[in-house]
Amino acid sequence: LGNNLRGDFHMVEVNPELVRRHESNVVKGNADFNRTIDRSKPYMFHIANEVKKRNMPSEIALLPFIESAYVTKARSHVGASGLWQFMPATGRHYGLEQTALYDGRHDVYASTDAALNYLEYLYGLFGDWSLALAAYNWGEGNVARAVKRTESQGLLPTYENLKMPQETRNYAPKLLAWRNIVSNPAAFGINIPKIEDDEYFEALNVTTPIDTAQAARLAGISQEEFNRLNPGFNLPVFIPTAKRKMLLPKNAVNHFV
């Protein structure tokens, strides 16, 4: 899965018995696992690189595996959406515009930046990556209150000691299960599809609105490939703003320009 990632795994395991359970679930669903890895291919190097730039643990780059299975427009029953499963209000708070035309939560480039900003903020708040992940899943207010309750009982506010819902209790262990399998697939009898150790796409500043079919034609790629890299738009048109990027496969950029 790329040396870019494996060298920087350093989260401490929490709830090991749950981690073991999730490992066996992932291994049982081997075909799903491979499909998810395949879906991650265009985005994984970029996300791992952004995580690395910020000196965050590499495990964070695996979060979309458990949030959305790398489905760019995944929606949850509670209204979270995109690779990083932003709720509408949190998305807006982190600069992800949501209009009839465009949903920044589906924009791979913008939502990755927003998610990492949010996770850095949560880590700053709790000083512990597993608690930052709990807050990402359950909300910072809930975790802050759980920390206070735990401390008032004279206990250390660790992931294991916090009283939290089942989903949150399983959240970091599920990520750690993925981490362990990605770290050493052979130990789990799994073969991971190859992900290139190189940026798949380039982010371009495009200054005029352009029909997406025309953009794909100019880049010499299929409309499907264009949409896979630019899933933020709800209509077949790319509308630029100061911060918005058009993503194109690296080998199509010169053709397009």
Side-chain angles (χ1 to χ4, degrees), residues 172-186:
K174 198 182 286 184
L175 181 68
L176 293 162
W178 271 83
R179 184 270 309 268
N180 294 343
I181 292 167
V182 161
S183 262
N184 190 359

Side-chain angles (χ1 to χ4, degrees), residues 14-221:
V14 292
N15 292 106
E17 70 294 347
L18 290 179
V19 178
R20 301 292 86 77
R21 195 179 309 162
H22 287 295
E23 285 167 353
S24 63
N25 288 347
V26 174
V27 171
K28 272 206 292 268
N30 197 359
D32 277 348
F33 176 83
N34 283 347
R35 273 195 295 274
T36 305
I37 296 266
D38 266 335
R39 273 198 300 272
S40 78
K41 283 181 174 180
Y43 322 113
M44 186 41 115
F45 182 87
H46 172 75
I47 291 174
N49 224 20
E50 292 301 303
V51 166
K52 197 174 187 162
K53 275 185 202 164
R54 297 167 183 247
N55 289 321
M56 297 165 90
S58 278
E59 284 90 346
I60 300 299
L62 304 178
L63 206 50
F65 282 125
I66 66 166
E67 278 291 353
S68 60
Y70 268 97
V71 174
T72 53
K73 292 194 176 194
R75 285 180 189 280
S76 81
H77 63 286
V78 293
S81 202
L83 282 186
W84 296 93
Q85 290 292 288
F86 269 104
M87 292 296 282
T90 316
R92 275 192 287 273
H93 184 75
Y94 281 88
L96 299 176
E97 189 190 328
Q98 294 153 62
T99 65
L101 175 68
Y102 166 85
D103 190 335
R105 297 175 302 165
H106 300 159
D107 180 319
V108 175
Y109 196 88
S111 68
T112 296
D113 191 51
L116 299 185
N117 287 340
Y118 184 29
L119 283 156
E120 275 187 326
Y121 162 76
L122 293 171
Y123 177 70
L125 217 52
F126 298 107
D128 175 285
W129 280 110
S130 54
L131 292 185
L133 287 167
Y136 189 86
N137 175 258
W138 188 30
E140 61 188 84
N142 289 326
V143 173
R145 282 186 289 277
V147 164
K148 274 211 178 70
R149 272 197 304 274
T150 308
E151 287 177 330
S152 72
Q153 292 161 352
L155 296 170
L156 280 176
T158 60
Y159 198 88
E160 279 96 343
N161 286 343
L162 260 54
K163 195 168 173 356
M164 46 173 83
Q166 216 40 37
E167 186 192 314
T168 309
R169 167 79 48 231
N170 280 279
Y171 189 70
K174 198 182 286 184
L175 181 68
L176 293 162
W178 271 83
R179 184 270 309 268
N180 294 343
I181 292 167
V182 161
S183 262
N184 190 359
F188 294 90
I190 274 188
N191 219 339
I192 292 191
K194 185 167 168 45
I195 293 183
E196 295 304 322
D197 243 345
D198 195 11
E199 193 73 273
Y200 180 83
F201 60 74
E202 257 179 56
L204 304 186
N205 290 316
V206 174
T207 51
T208 49
I210 185 168
D211 175 84
T212 55
Q214 189 188 10
R217 205 166 46 247
L218 291 171
I221 60 174

